[in-house]
Amino acid sequence: MLAIKNLHANVEGKEILKGINLLINAGEVHAIMGPNGSGKSTLANVLAGNSSYEVTEGEVYFDGKNILEMNPETRAREGIFLAFQYPIEIAGISNATFLKTALNEIKRYKGEPELTPKEFLDRMKAKAQILGLDETLISRYVNVGFSGGEKKRNEIFQMLMLEPKFVLLDETDSGLDIDALKIVSSGVNIYRNKDNAVLVVTHYQRLLNYIQPDFVHVLFNGKIIKTGGKELALELEDKGYDWVKDEALETQNV
Amino acid sequence: MEKKNPKEWYISNFETFEKKLNGGSKTYLHEIRKEALRELASLNFPTFRNEEWKYTDVSPIVNNNFVPAVNTTPAKVDKKTIDQLLFKNFDYHLLVFINGIFSEELSDIKELPRGVFIGSLKRLYKERPQLVDQHLNKVSRIENAFNALNTAYAVDGFAAIIPDCVIVEKPIQILYLNSSETEQILSVPRNLIMVGKNSQLSVITNHRGTGSEKYFSNIVSEILVDENGILDFYKIQYENDEAYHIEKVQAIQKKSSVLNHYNINFGGAIVRNDINSVLDDENIETHFYGLYLAHGNQHVDNHTFADHAKPNCMSNELYKGILDDNARGVFNGKIIVRKDAQKTNAYQSNKTILLSKTAKIDTKPQLEIFADDVKCSHGATVGQLDEEAEFYIRSRGVPQELAKSMLIRAFANDVIEKVKIEPLKEQLNHMIFEHLKKVEILNL
Ligand SMILES: Nc1ncnc2c1ncn2[C@@H]1O[C@H](COP(=O)(O)OP(=O)(O)OP(=O)(O)O)[C@@H](O)[C@H]1O
Ligand SMILES: [Mg+2]
């Protein structure tokens, strides 16, 4: 589904991603862990098409299409969704307006009919319920006055509304209490199926108890320096990153 | 036709005007006019050398010989034209002024509480001349040649006299329509609003232009809000893009009164607003909300003045603007806290978004504080639409243009949400997109 080949990217002239290779197939869940500043959010932003990040080398194919040529809205319509580490507030625009606009754009792109107002409203209510969000959310402004946890939940709510094929979760677990974490995870698990895929960025193993990954990657200094199964997350939680760095140094991988 | 020196032009037109007044030329009001004409003769129109007009070049206005509306044949406007220009979906009393002159047949004033006067200044002068003599040109004094010009030709305008302890439930919508196919007209509405003790009034002034000729709206509004009175004053200026528009609002507020002034500007080639309030007793609240949206070569200048004369008052100001193309904005927010005005709270904020590289804003706070126990703050920002926010929206599949529109709406929302008349909010949002020629985004 997603193939990243030798991806290099700069932020303000500084190289942050230094040759990422990653293959994600439909039905898989991948986790990326790594110390602060290693480039996790950068990778997520580059995949979603944030123009503050400049790709200097490499290729990214999504369902066989080169997405680096596409603007962010086209990538979204193709099915890429980024749950932001820091969601943005949009005063004056209701969640309903925001999501209806987005959903209609996506449907139009796919050549599918728009939802009727009733279908749309029913869908909003159903998805809000899954995430334990109050129905008043529908008319509230996007993320305005939301707590940190509510904002994260709202990202997953948007994901459920837009039904993307590939989801990037950038630290969606940070700032969530244990109940919220369970709710958000169940939202993601409801969404998961054999045709879509998830890339989870996290610092904590606890999220991976709920969203079980098939692969865990360690990102360090702009490169993936180790890949393992879900037991790797436990090991990282236990021992930190130093041993992985040392191991990588030995094999001249850094 | 050759252009005349502006002062000579307006002075020579005065004779024609006087002849039309018949008996009206013997009144005290006419004495005020003649005095204003003398002041006009002695004053000069402001230039950039005048500190208060430094960033606004009014010479295109001054150098045009506009014909005072009273000296022209009244324009014919039908109800259908009017209807398209009104704010709708709420109940209101309607007053229509064509080129500054009241039109009885186009207006629709419904039943009013006892003792309330809502109507034209002309009728007020017939019914209660002593009231007009007592207040007109006393709340607001002539400060420049534009004010003098308005006063010299003042025959009509909006008048509201609300006695004590009356809540006027329905807002008053006043349509000032400027329209001529043949002449370049000077329109000089003169407004007088007096809100009695414990009374409440809500006014919407709706400034519009049709017709093919350039025109000049030169307005003076005098406002008195007595003890515990509340006045909501929505000014919505959507003149056509070639028009010139100047308004001076002067308010005097008494004890525990509240003035909410909304100054929303879309149209006009050169626009200047002076919004002044004297907080003349204790426990007064003054809110100045402003929104200015300009494109092309429009120039919009807002000067505000909160004059804290007495202790324990609060003034709060929020002005926001979006400027595109070569548009130019000016903001000058003056706050004076006089010696007696201890425990004053005064806040001011001006934020502008520039949508193009050639748009420009000059913003200046002007705080003069003579009391020692006060809380004052001010801030001004100038920036672009937030690119990270734009990316967030686009990452949901929304096209760039629409994402920008959402951010424009979000930016304006701080001011729009203060509007208390719900249906007016959506109509203002609509006007934002219409005027800036951006893709519209309205809430479901
Ligand atoms: N917009 C930006 N401008 C300047 N530097 C940036 C920007 N975005 C990221 N960086 C820099 O790029 C590096 C990688 O940042 P990134 O946010 O990708 O790290 P991360 O792995 O997500 O960290 P964290 O775990 O703290 O979220 C950091 O050094 C950061 O300072
Ligand atoms: Mg990050």
Side-chain angles (χ1 to χ4, degrees):
Chain A
M1 172 180 280
L2 186 79
I4 305 174
K5 294 177 192 161
N6 190 31
L7 184 65
H8 290 251
N10 288 0
V11 183
E12 296 183 347
K14 188 173 147 220
E15 184 165 65
I16 307 292
L17 300 184
K18 301 173 180 172
I20 305 263
N21 292 290
L22 190 61
L23 195 67
I24 298 176
N25 295 307
E28 291 177 353
V29 174
H30 290 239
I32 291 194
M33 304 181 80
N36 294 129
S38 56
K40 304 181 297 296
S41 293
T42 302
L43 176 62
N45 273 279
V46 166
L47 294 178
N50 188 337
S51 59
S52 325
Y53 299 80
E54 185 201 356
V55 175
T56 52
E57 219 184 312
E59 292 166 335
V60 179
Y61 286 93
F62 181 67
D63 282 347
K65 293 178 193 159
N66 180 356
I67 60 162
L68 294 181
E69 314 270 280
M70 296 176 187
N71 61 29
E73 52 270 39
T74 310
R75 295 184 203 198
R77 296 167 197 165
E78 286 285 341
I80 294 175
F81 182 93
L82 168 60
F84 281 60
Q85 185 172 2
Y86 304 109
I88 305 280
E89 298 182 4
I90 318 168
I93 303 290
S94 71
N95 278 301
T97 303
F98 183 62
L99 284 168
K100 183 126 199 250
T101 309
L103 195 59
N104 284 345
E105 292 289 343
I106 293 168
K107 294 240 173 228
R108 195 177 317 149
Y109 184 80
K110 293 183 182 163
E112 294 170 9
E114 290 186 1
L115 294 186
T116 66
K118 177 161 188 320
E119 285 169 338
F120 177 75
L121 208 64
D122 289 347
R123 185 187 175 114
M124 276 204 74
K125 286 180 185 165
K127 306 291 182 190
Q129 204 173 17
I130 293 174
L131 292 166
L133 288 164
D134 197 277
E135 268 184 28
T136 55
L137 165 94
I138 294 169
S139 56
R140 282 178 70 182
Y141 295 152
V142 181
N143 290 325
V144 176
F146 285 29
S147 71
E150 282 171 333
K151 282 181 184 167
K152 295 298 178 73
R153 243 194 271 192
N154 194 31
E155 292 293 283
I156 302 306
F157 172 65
Q158 291 181 10
M159 177 196 83
L160 292 178
M161 286 297 292
L162 301 179
E163 293 185 326
K165 272 195 288 198
F166 173 61
V167 176
L168 289 146
L169 303 177
D170 191 359
E171 294 197 27
T172 302
D173 54 337
S174 68
L176 292 185
D177 62 37
I178 192 70
D179 292 334
L181 185 72
K182 281 184 193 163
I183 292 169
V184 162
S185 308
S186 77
V188 175
N189 287 327
I190 284 168
Y191 153 81
R192 280 181 65 179
N193 62 39
K194 63 176 179 22
D195 297 320
N196 58 33
V198 181
L199 179 62
V200 191
V201 171
T202 183
H203 286 289
Y204 305 105
Q205 196 274 331
R206 64 171 195 170
L207 174 69
L208 304 178
N209 285 335
Y210 299 102
I211 305 173
Q212 300 245 337
D214 301 297
F215 300 95
V216 174
H217 310 277
V218 178
L219 187 67
F220 176 69
N221 197 18
K223 279 188 175 181
I224 290 173
I225 56 168
K226 190 172 179 69
T227 294
K230 62 172 183 259
E231 65 291 343
L232 178 57
L234 281 167
E235 218 175 335
L236 291 168
E237 180 116 317
D238 212 29
K239 301 197 277 179
Y241 291 107
D242 284 349
W243 67 278
V244 193
K245 287 186 222 167
D246 294 342
E247 205 179 276
L249 270 173
E250 276 163 33
T251 57
Q252 294 299 305
N253 214 349
V254 175
Chain B
M1 205 170 60
E2 201 174 314
K3 293 274 159 67
K4 284 199 179 163
N5 164 296
K7 283 202 281 182
E8 277 174 28
W9 166 257
Y10 292 115
I11 291 165
S12 68
N13 266 273
F14 197 76
E15 269 176 50
T16 324
F17 166 48
E18 275 189 313
K19 282 194 198 109
K20 295 203 168 198
L21 283 171
N22 296 325
S25 63
K26 302 212 165 48
T27 59
Y28 178 70
L29 177 59
H30 198 61
E31 290 306 314
I32 296 178
R33 290 191 201 112
K34 283 196 289 195
E35 176 57 31
L37 192 76
R38 281 190 289 276
E39 287 199 52
L40 178 62
S42 69
L43 286 164
N44 286 318
F45 283 98
T47 69
F48 63 88
R49 278 186 292 274
N50 182 315
E51 188 61 31
E52 293 283 303
W53 295 80
K54 195 156 106 178
Y55 301 110
T56 298
D57 177 12
V58 294
S59 58
I61 309 178
V62 174
N63 294 331
N64 234 309
N65 291 163
F66 291 101
V67 186
V70 282
N71 292 356
T72 65
T73 35
K76 285 209 167 52
V77 180
D78 56 26
K79 275 217 151 68
K80 218 174 107 212
T81 310
I82 299 294
D83 208 50
Q84 287 160 357
L85 302 171
L86 295 175
F87 295 106
K88 294 200 182 73
N89 303 327
F90 60 99
D91 216 2
Y92 51 80
H93 302 280
L94 175 66
L95 278 77
V96 177
F97 290 81
I98 307 294
N99 299 328
I101 294 168
F102 184 62
S103 164
E104 178 98 53
E105 62 174 288
L106 294 171
S107 299
D108 181 15
I109 303 170
K110 295 163 186 161
E111 202 183 316
L112 291 163
R114 266 178 79 114
V116 169
F117 180 95
I118 301 284
S120 71
L121 184 73
K122 212 181 218 167
R123 182 160 70 88
L124 182 68
Y125 200 65
K126 276 198 199 110
E127 292 178 12
R128 308 188 200 176
Q130 69 296 348
L131 196 93
V132 176
D133 292 344
Q134 210 180 327
H135 297 287
L136 202 83
N137 216 37
K138 305 227 168 33
V139 177
S140 168
R141 294 178 193 277
I142 291 171
E143 285 168 345
N144 59 46
F146 291 118
N147 304 159
L149 180 59
N150 170 284
T151 311
Y153 283 96
V155 278
D156 215 348
F158 165 62
I161 311 297
I162 316 301
D164 294 347
C165 304
V166 174
I167 293 170
V168 181
E169 305 267 357
K170 295 181 190 123
I172 321 294
Q173 176 166 195
I174 305 138
L175 176 69
Y176 297 95
L177 177 62
N178 294 289
S179 179
S180 175
E181 302 295 339
T182 52
E183 283 168 299
Q184 301 201 340
I185 290 185
L186 166 69
S187 162
V188 286
R190 181 75 182 209
N191 304 318
L192 180 63
I193 301 172
M194 296 175 63
V195 179
K197 295 187 176 76
N198 306 308
S199 293
Q200 290 180 28
L201 179 68
S202 172
V203 167
I204 304 159
T205 65
N206 179 1
H207 303 266
R208 301 287 188 130
T210 57
S212 53
E213 293 292 324
K214 189 179 272 201
Y215 60 86
F216 175 25
S217 294
N218 179 22
I219 308 158
V220 174
S221 299
E222 294 178 274
I223 296 171
L224 269 174
V225 189
D226 212 333
E227 277 182 45
N228 273 312
I230 302 177
L231 173 64
D232 294 338
F233 190 123
Y234 300 91
K235 168 184 181 158
I236 298 148
Q237 184 275 107
Y238 204 171
E239 309 269 21
N240 67 38
D241 278 1
E242 286 73 45
Y244 303 126
H245 179 103
I246 292 180
E247 181 176 12
K248 179 189 177 192
V249 172
Q250 179 65 59
I252 297 176
Q253 291 181 249
K254 293 297 176 192
K255 196 174 191 147
S256 306
S257 66
V258 180
L259 170 64
N260 295 306
H261 189 272
Y262 304 76
N263 180 17
I264 300 179
N265 287 272
F266 299 100
I270 301 173
V271 175
R272 164 69 177 240
N273 291 298
D274 283 277
I275 314 295
N276 308 332
S277 190
V278 182
L279 290 73
D280 204 22
D281 208 325
E282 297 202 37
N283 294 315
I284 291 168
E285 256 185 60
T286 307
H287 296 270
F288 289 153
Y289 303 111
L291 190 62
Y292 43 98
L293 304 133
H295 68 151
N297 292 310
Q298 286 185 281
H299 180 108
V300 51
D301 176 346
N302 289 307
H303 270 60
T304 63
F305 180 16
D307 188 350
H308 285 266
K310 297 281 156 64
N312 296 311
C313 293
M314 194 267 257
S315 69
N316 171 36
E317 171 159 25
L318 176 63
Y319 265 65
K320 293 186 104 174
I322 302 173
L323 305 177
D324 201 358
D325 306 327
N326 300 311
R328 178 118 193 240
V330 179
F331 173 81
N332 189 103
K334 179 153 117 181
I335 299 172
I336 293 187
V337 180
R338 299 192 190 269
K339 210 169 75 238
D340 286 348
Q342 299 296 358
K343 307 269 183 213
T344 288
N345 285 317
Y347 306 103
Q348 181 186 99
S349 161
N350 173 228
K351 292 180 178 160
T352 307
I353 292 254
L354 304 176
L355 294 179
S356 76
K357 289 201 166 63
T358 44
K360 191 171 178 246
I361 174 93
D362 288 289
T363 174
K364 189 176 132 207
Q366 192 185 340
L367 272 59
E368 296 169 29
I369 298 166
F370 302 100
D372 45 30
D373 185 13
V374 301
K375 276 194 198 125
C376 285
S377 74
H378 65 89
T381 61
V382 181
Q384 281 82 41
L385 291 177
D386 182 351
E387 281 179 19
E388 287 305 309
E390 186 188 306
F391 169 61
Y392 180 76
I393 298 169
R394 292 174 73 188
S395 80
R396 300 306 185 235
V398 178
Q400 184 172 25
E401 281 312 301
L402 215 50
K404 284 186 193 295
S405 291
M406 287 187 181
L407 294 175
I408 287 172
R409 182 165 170 153
F411 179 78
N413 188 62
D414 284 352
V415 174
I416 299 288
E417 75 176 4
K418 301 287 192 252
V419 170
K420 295 179 196 163
I421 302 165
E422 278 304 318
L424 192 54
K425 290 185 186 176
E426 269 321 284
Q427 290 168 77
L428 290 172
N429 276 311
H430 167 74
M431 286 159 83
I432 293 173
F433 297 116
E434 179 184 58
H435 184 64
L436 292 176
K437 300 186 169 48
K438 303 287 176 203
V439 200
E440 178 150 2
I441 178 89
L442 293 178
N443 271 329
L444 295 171

